[in-house]
Amino acid sequence: MGQPAILTVDDDPSVSRAIARDLRRRYGEAYRIIRAASAAEALEALRELKLRGGRVAVLLADYRMPQMNGIEFLEQAMDLFPNARRALLTAYADTDAAIQAINVVDVDHYLLKPWDPPEEKLYPVIDELLDAWQATGDREIEDIRVVGHRWSEPSYQIRDFLARNLVPYRWLAADDPEGRRLLDAAGVGPESIPLVVTADGRAMAQPSTSEVAEAAGLSTAPERDFYDLIIVGGGPAGLGAAVYGASEGLRTLLVERQAVGGQAGQSSRIENYLGFPDGISGAQLTDRARRQAGKFDAEVLNTREVVGLHTDGSARTLRFADGAEVSAHSIVLATGVAYRPLIADGIAELTGAGVYYGSAATEGPSCAGSDVYIIGGANSAGQAALFFSRYARSVTLLVRGDSLEASMSYYLIQQLNSVENVHVRTRCEVVGAQGGGHLQAITICDSKNNTVTSVECGYLFVFIGAEPRTDWLGDAVARDEKGFVYTGPDLLSPNGGRPRGWDRDRDPFYLECSVPGIFAAGDVRANSVKRVASAVGEGAMAVTLVHRYLEA
């Protein structure tokens, strides 16, 4: 396939020559440097590269260009090379406009012009972009092909799993000619979908996510039987613990049931996370955290469901759904929370066929021209509304409360108010869903106007609060009535008494559970602050307390 390309586009000839010169000086031996004088010229170059089987590592686009600005160019370029890393070139006067525009498309960085000296202001950014591109790889999008039905829940589950784990794939409808050819080649009919075909031609009919994970090269089996630290859950708290645990020399294993990143990984845009003034998508933040954990040799286990926890002397042991076990000196519970199911007529039958929990970013392009409804009034619902407004004809937020102010961040409310095709309806609940094979309409109870109406709806996304996934813990550690895990001071009785069975001559550490050596961090912990930054901080803090426990 030859050298991968770094493409830069700027309509100012002097700037275009200067950045191409600086890029060739540093990267010319390993990368092909391509410069274009307009977005149209750059897109033509990208199309030619695509036809020839080329690869693109980084796209650098000037923000202010005639005919097509940098954001519009990057949106179209992403369709051709979705794995390429992206950066905007902008003048200082356009910084605010560029930051606001970044919300439209996932841009990794913006660079101020001029960038002298390049050793300080250009090369570190490009190095980071290239590292990220190399870490995710540039496998052809046909590496894995998925054949299924548009409104099939099992087909959606496979697509969502691959997307959330950043595995490139190609989606083919079962009634498309190429889809039918793959079904025929595999010797199965449409009733056997979803069909997953790997790069080496292996066909799997109705595979489990574990089978798909193995086919995609994701790790599904631990490398050893015993670790210093095992983390259950790969959301922000779990990733924070993995980075700090592994970087401090602990043999660290992170176990994730579905997809690293958790609910935060599904967020289309996180704008109030420290250090990212222009915002960052949940997928980008997850990707960076996962690569950072891997840099320190943290082991990440995918698609393994933990169903039990017990102690055996100084060992803390987890049991998987298949009966296998793995042990460690210490364990951090970071399983987060799951979206609460919506109880209404027809919802369960249409889940995955128009009804989705979370933002389901894979459905974005399919919403083009449709009316989308979102249930919920917290930040995750607001972020989803902004994301789907880029595709849908209209997006309506259905909020049970009187307003958004009590549950959503101010900056997000302001953004929603500025988008013309986003509407907010308060004191509303969905009481039913209808459709033949896929969602077609929902029934809304409006308590403010005392009405019950049915409206056409092709997509319904549910964000109605969350509950912990802790039933598997049983009586292993103390939990509150909702299932959240008690830790530290919450375990002490009013007179200072320690939890029953506590065998240490000290009080539990702040994040320690009712069993010494078992800690909880993030949303799963009782009375925790439900924010990404708080979860990451608790994950890091848990590792500090693990060290104190191991040194005792």
Side-chain angles (χ1 to χ4, degrees):
M1 297 178 68
Q3 289 180 318
I6 298 175
L7 183 143
T8 175
V9 51
D10 197 306
D11 64 309
D12 186 326
S14 62
V15 174
S16 180
R17 286 193 298 269
I19 193 165
R21 177 200 64 216
D22 288 341
L23 290 173
R24 289 194 182 97
R25 183 182 302 160
R26 176 72 169 251
Y27 307 104
E29 292 186 5
Y31 294 88
R32 180 184 175 191
I33 310 301
I34 301 174
R35 71 181 180 98
S38 69
E41 181 182 330
L43 286 173
E44 184 60 32
L46 290 176
R47 293 188 187 100
E48 185 175 344
L49 274 172
K50 190 69 175 178
L51 291 174
R52 295 183 176 181
R55 295 172 293 163
V56 176
V58 174
L59 297 164
L60 302 174
D62 181 36
Y63 170 64
R64 188 181 290 274
M65 294 188 293
Q67 285 81 50
M68 184 187 300
N69 66 34
I71 289 291
E72 294 166 336
F73 162 73
L74 289 174
E75 281 191 290
Q76 295 192 36
M78 285 170 62
D79 294 335
L80 295 168
F81 291 95
N83 293 327
R85 296 292 158 161
R86 301 168 288 278
L88 276 178
L89 300 171
T90 181
Y92 183 80
D94 293 326
T95 300
D96 289 341
I99 290 174
Q100 293 176 13
I102 283 172
N103 290 318
V104 179
V105 61
D106 275 339
V107 174
D108 297 289
H109 283 280
Y110 69 87
L111 286 163
L112 288 175
K113 299 186 289 186
W115 51 86
D116 291 329
E119 289 77 12
E120 296 179 11
K121 297 183 178 180
L122 175 64
Y123 297 151
V125 172
I126 303 300
D127 288 344
E128 182 179 342
L129 294 175
L130 291 173
D131 286 345
W133 177 76
Q134 290 167 353
T136 56
D138 191 27
R139 294 166 286 183
E140 288 297 305
I141 201 166
E142 291 83 8
D143 271 2
I144 290 181
R145 287 159 289 175
V146 180
V147 182
H149 290 313
R150 174 71 188 85
W151 300 111
S152 159
E153 182 180 7
S155 298
Y156 162 72
Q157 294 294 347
I158 295 296
R159 289 189 292 121
D160 186 60
F161 172 79
L162 291 171
R164 291 182 61 189
N165 282 281
L166 304 178
V167 178
Y169 71 94
R170 183 181 179 192
W171 163 256
L172 299 164
D175 54 0
D176 284 347
E178 190 170 353
R180 289 197 297 268
R181 285 194 291 269
L182 284 174
L183 290 171
D184 291 341
V188 298
E191 70 283 352
S192 297
I193 60 101
L195 176 73
V196 175
V197 182
T198 63
D200 59 6
R202 181 160 59 100
M204 300 181 292
Q206 299 178 335
S208 65
T209 53
S210 293
E211 292 171 326
V212 174
E214 290 181 11
L218 301 177
S219 176
T220 59
E223 296 178 359
R224 50 170 62 99
D225 297 325
F226 199 91
Y227 294 81
D228 295 318
L229 170 64
I230 299 177
I231 302 151
V232 186
L239 287 166
V243 168
Y244 280 89
S247 69
E248 294 172 9
L250 297 178
R251 293 173 299 172
T252 302
L253 173 69
L254 185 150
V255 182
E256 170 54 43
R257 185 178 66 91
Q258 187 174 13
V260 173
Q263 285 190 7
Q266 293 180 281
S267 176
S268 56
R269 177 65 54 179
I270 302 171
E271 294 190 69
N272 56 355
Y273 187 66
L274 186 67
F276 293 91
D278 50 355
I280 186 170
S281 72
Q284 284 180 304
L285 187 61
T286 296
D287 179 36
R288 294 182 183 194
R290 175 166 44 191
R291 288 189 288 112
Q292 194 171 12
K295 170 185 175 181
F296 295 117
D297 295 325
E299 187 180 336
V300 178
L301 210 59
N302 299 272
T303 67
R304 295 302 295 270
E305 183 174 5
V306 179
V307 297
L309 167 63
H310 66 271
T311 60
D312 184 12
S314 63
R316 277 76 181 110
T317 300
L318 296 171
R319 186 176 73 257
F320 295 120
D322 62 0
E325 293 185 342
V326 63
S327 301
H329 290 301
S330 59
I331 288 174
V332 172
L333 304 174
T335 49
V337 291
Y339 287 116
R340 187 176 299 120
L342 174 62
I343 308 302
D345 291 340
I347 291 293
E349 295 80 4
L350 293 169
T351 298
V355 176
Y356 306 97
Y357 289 89
S359 62
T362 54
E363 302 305 303
S366 301
C367 294
S370 300
D371 295 315
V372 170
Y373 285 79
I374 296 173
I375 306 176
N379 281 6
S380 54
Q383 290 160 352
L386 290 175
F387 172 74
F388 288 111
S389 70
R390 293 158 45 186
Y391 303 95
R393 177 171 54 196
S394 70
V395 177
T396 303
L397 268 171
L398 301 174
V399 184
R400 186 171 56 180
D402 293 326
S403 69
L404 292 174
E405 279 72 12
S407 55
M408 188 177 292
S409 295
Y410 175 77
Y411 81 89
L412 204 49
I413 296 174
Q414 297 300 107
Q415 289 187 18
L416 291 173
N417 290 337
S418 68
V419 181
E420 292 184 357
N421 64 334
V422 173
H423 314 284
V424 179
R425 292 181 58 180
T426 58
R427 296 177 62 185
C428 288
E429 296 185 61
V430 172
V431 296
Q434 303 83 40
H438 64 88
L439 180 67
Q440 294 172 304
I442 57 174
T443 302
I444 301 173
C445 177
D446 186 333
S447 61
K448 183 166 58 178
N449 299 312
N450 294 316
T451 60
V452 177
T453 57
S454 181
V455 297
E456 291 186 3
C457 174
Y459 296 87
L460 178 68
F461 299 92
V462 183
F463 300 84
I464 56 170
E467 52 194 16
R469 295 188 179 123
T470 57
D471 290 345
W472 62 275
L473 286 169
D475 296 328
V477 297
R479 298 177 290 147
D480 67 13
E481 67 280 359
K482 295 181 179 179
F484 292 97
V485 178
Y486 282 128
T487 59
D490 291 336
L491 291 166
L492 302 178
S493 63
N495 61 4
R498 294 165 181 164
R500 186 174 59 183
W502 187 259
D503 61 358
R504 302 297 164 106
D505 187 22
R506 60 168 175 82
D507 289 346
F509 295 134
Y510 186 74
L511 299 180
E512 198 167 21
C513 301
S514 57
V515 176
I518 300 177
F519 301 82
D523 289 359
V524 74
R525 192 175 67 82
N527 302 315
S528 64
V529 176
K530 306 301 189 278
R531 288 287 187 271
V532 174
S534 300
V536 174
E538 288 195 4
M541 184 193 303
V543 172
T544 298
L545 299 177
V546 164
H547 281 296
R548 292 175 60 182
Y549 166 77
L550 295 176
E551 292 165 0

